[in-house]
Amino acid sequence: MSKSLMDTPSPQPDLNRDRLPTLFEVLSRQTLAPVDLFSFYIYMRDQQRSVDYLDFWLDVSQHMSLCRHYVRELRRSVLVETPELEKQGSKRSSYVLDHMGEMNEPSGPSAGLKGDEKSKDAHLSAYLRQDNTNGGHHSPHSSLGSQQSGLRASGDRAHNGHGERPPRASFMSNGNTPGGTNSGSPAHTVARADIRASAEKILYTFLLPGSEREIILPQAILNDITTSIEEEGRDDPEVFDAAKDYTFQAMERDAFPGFLRAKALGNLVPPSSFLRLCVGLLGMFGGFWAGFACIFLDKPKHIRCWLILPFTIGVYALSSQQYGIDPVLALAGLSEYTFMTWSRIREPYIRQLMNKRALMVLFSTILIGVSLIVLFIFVPGTRL
């Protein structure tokens, strides 16, 4: 993986946020656990069962990053190779490169981008279309997809359309892949063939009927993307804009509310919740069985005090299952992202919200538990 992609500075989390985060902020890596992008990925994989939509969105975002990196390296190579470019007057392609400005990496639907960001993306796509028409002859000398064969001639690489596509620089990556290099090295850059391979892999992995991880999109969007890539030869980021926006809105509407309920208002995953339901029912059954046995056998109160144990376990476990939160663990600042695997609650507002809900659940648990214990301990016994 190219370090230039991984070394791109991510947005800093907003520690002063006094509200629940938006999907835009989660995908932009502006949030902390348990509402960060990693937790959302685990939720989409294990609970929503629709992680392919998120992977598609991340791959399209990576494709945009690849295009930006390509143009950034191209601009750098143009400035290095033609230092008198401004004095001599540049060609149109060089003019576009010089006036594209700093290319940030916004996450979210293209409809939500600011005017200057839309303009930069439009310039980027327009330049890539022009470069594709010209045969991609501006490409730097080597590519991420060709690092394993660095001794080949550049002409051989230009005709190899099946080079290895660089892996997505996602939050799951650790940067230890072979071929990771210094972004400042002119010998390791992104070639035009890498962008083409990236676009084709997205098409063949997620969009074509019967593909490995096919996602459901409107037929009109699928037809437009297929035509643009396979017939028109396009691979610029605008090809996927409609699909990316549709996927973002689908996740925002169908998956994200459940994610917030599970992670911002609770700290348990479904297997743990089910386990607490079973333990709670067993505890309540044992408590009621022992309680009625003590009453009808007229057991003394010091023996009935043992009822505190099953009733406390039962009420606590059922309350945790009902509200989806373990109050003791929540007060300890822990949230479960997979079964019996815990992480620290680092988002300040979520920590405050979790503490309030934990105290409420704990108070109701104590109230119900004490009521049951007092009832079965102090009720008069009658031996049958």
Side-chain angles (χ1 to χ4, degrees):
M1 181 185 304
S2 172
K3 282 193 176 182
S4 60
L5 294 179
M6 292 195 61
D7 292 343
T8 302
S10 300
Q12 293 299 318
D14 183 8
L15 300 180
N16 298 320
R17 183 172 30 243
D18 58 352
R19 55 171 175 78
L20 294 175
T22 63
L23 179 59
F24 178 90
E25 292 169 334
V26 172
L27 295 178
S28 301
R29 299 175 175 85
Q30 298 177 20
T31 55
L32 299 173
V35 290
D36 56 341
L37 182 54
F38 178 78
S39 299
F40 185 55
Y41 191 96
I42 297 298
Y43 174 82
M44 291 288 288
R45 184 193 68 186
D46 296 344
Q47 299 186 40
Q48 197 69 19
R49 305 293 183 182
S50 55
V51 72
D52 289 345
Y53 288 87
L54 180 56
D55 270 332
F56 167 77
W57 195 95
L58 292 172
D59 277 355
V60 172
S61 297
Q62 171 63 12
H63 179 71
M64 170 68 81
S65 299
L66 200 66
C67 294
R68 286 179 173 144
H69 181 66
Y70 167 77
V71 175
R72 187 182 298 115
E73 291 295 325
L74 181 58
R75 179 170 55 184
R76 183 183 305 169
S77 66
V78 168
L79 293 178
V80 170
E81 295 172 7
T82 56
E84 302 297 326
L85 184 63
E86 294 183 0
K87 296 180 181 180
Q88 298 175 357
S90 63
K91 297 182 292 184
R92 182 178 182 275
S93 59
S94 299
Y95 179 84
V96 173
L97 288 174
D98 294 338
H99 291 77
M100 201 167 293
E102 291 298 324
M103 294 172 293
N104 299 320
E105 188 173 350
S107 299
S110 58
L113 299 180
K114 298 179 181 179
D116 58 341
E117 292 172 341
K118 284 184 178 180
S119 177
K120 292 174 184 177
D121 286 351
H123 281 114
L124 176 64
S125 295
Y127 176 77
L128 290 174
R129 287 195 296 271
Q130 178 195 7
D131 186 60
N132 193 34
T133 303
N134 294 336
H137 60 276
H138 294 297
S139 299
H141 295 295
S142 63
S143 69
L144 289 173
S146 307
Q147 289 175 9
Q148 301 292 339
S149 54
L151 298 179
R152 296 180 185 176
S154 59
D156 294 336
R157 286 196 301 270
H159 291 86
N160 181 12
H162 303 285
E164 179 186 356
R165 174 177 173 266
R168 181 181 69 240
S170 70
F171 60 95
M172 301 287 284
S173 304
N174 56 16
N176 294 327
T177 56
T181 60
N182 188 347
S183 62
S185 173
H188 299 282
T189 53
V190 178
R192 199 64 175 83
D194 297 316
I195 298 177
R196 179 67 185 177
S198 173
E200 289 179 344
K201 182 172 183 181
I202 293 174
L203 175 65
Y204 300 147
T205 302
F206 297 101
L207 302 179
L208 290 183
S211 56
E212 177 185 358
R213 304 177 63 184
E214 182 181 2
I215 62 175
I216 306 301
L217 294 176
Q219 192 61 41
I221 296 178
L222 293 176
N223 292 339
D224 289 343
I225 295 176
T226 305
T227 301
S228 298
I229 295 179
E230 294 191 333
E231 297 181 12
E232 300 175 9
R234 290 180 57 186
D235 51 23
D236 54 278
E238 282 187 354
V239 171
F240 300 105
D241 273 355
K244 186 179 180 183
D245 291 349
Y246 181 89
T247 303
F248 182 91
Q249 293 167 7
M251 291 191 296
E252 188 176 42
R253 179 184 64 250
D254 300 332
F256 194 63
F259 171 72
L260 289 181
R261 283 193 299 269
K263 297 301 180 181
L265 302 179
N267 66 342
L268 298 177
V269 296
S272 287
S273 184
F274 180 75
L275 177 62
R276 282 165 171 77
L277 175 63
C278 296
V279 172
L281 292 176
L282 288 175
M284 295 301 291
F285 173 79
F288 280 112
W289 180 84
F292 282 111
C294 289
I295 291 175
F296 294 126
L297 295 177
D298 196 17
K299 295 295 182 179
K301 290 182 176 59
H302 70 276
I303 293 181
R304 297 190 193 185
C305 287
W306 286 102
L307 296 174
I308 296 175
L309 186 60
F311 278 129
T312 300
I313 294 175
V315 173
Y316 183 87
L318 289 180
S319 298
S320 298
Q321 188 274 335
Q322 178 65 29
Y323 292 99
I325 181 174
D326 189 303
V328 172
L329 294 175
L331 292 173
L334 297 175
S335 179
E336 189 179 33
Y337 60 91
T338 58
F339 183 63
M340 292 300 180
T341 306
W342 304 86
S343 63
R344 284 284 175 183
I345 301 174
R346 300 173 57 201
E347 184 77 19
Y349 179 74
I350 302 300
R351 180 66 185 270
Q352 298 174 9
L353 191 62
M354 204 81 77
N355 287 341
K356 293 178 181 178
R357 282 180 55 83
L359 291 174
M360 182 269 293
V361 173
L362 201 56
F363 175 78
S364 62
T365 299
I366 293 174
L367 181 62
I368 297 173
V370 169
S371 301
L372 290 173
I373 291 169
V374 169
L375 175 65
F376 280 92
I377 289 180
F378 292 100
V379 68
T382 301
R383 188 171 185 86
L384 297 180

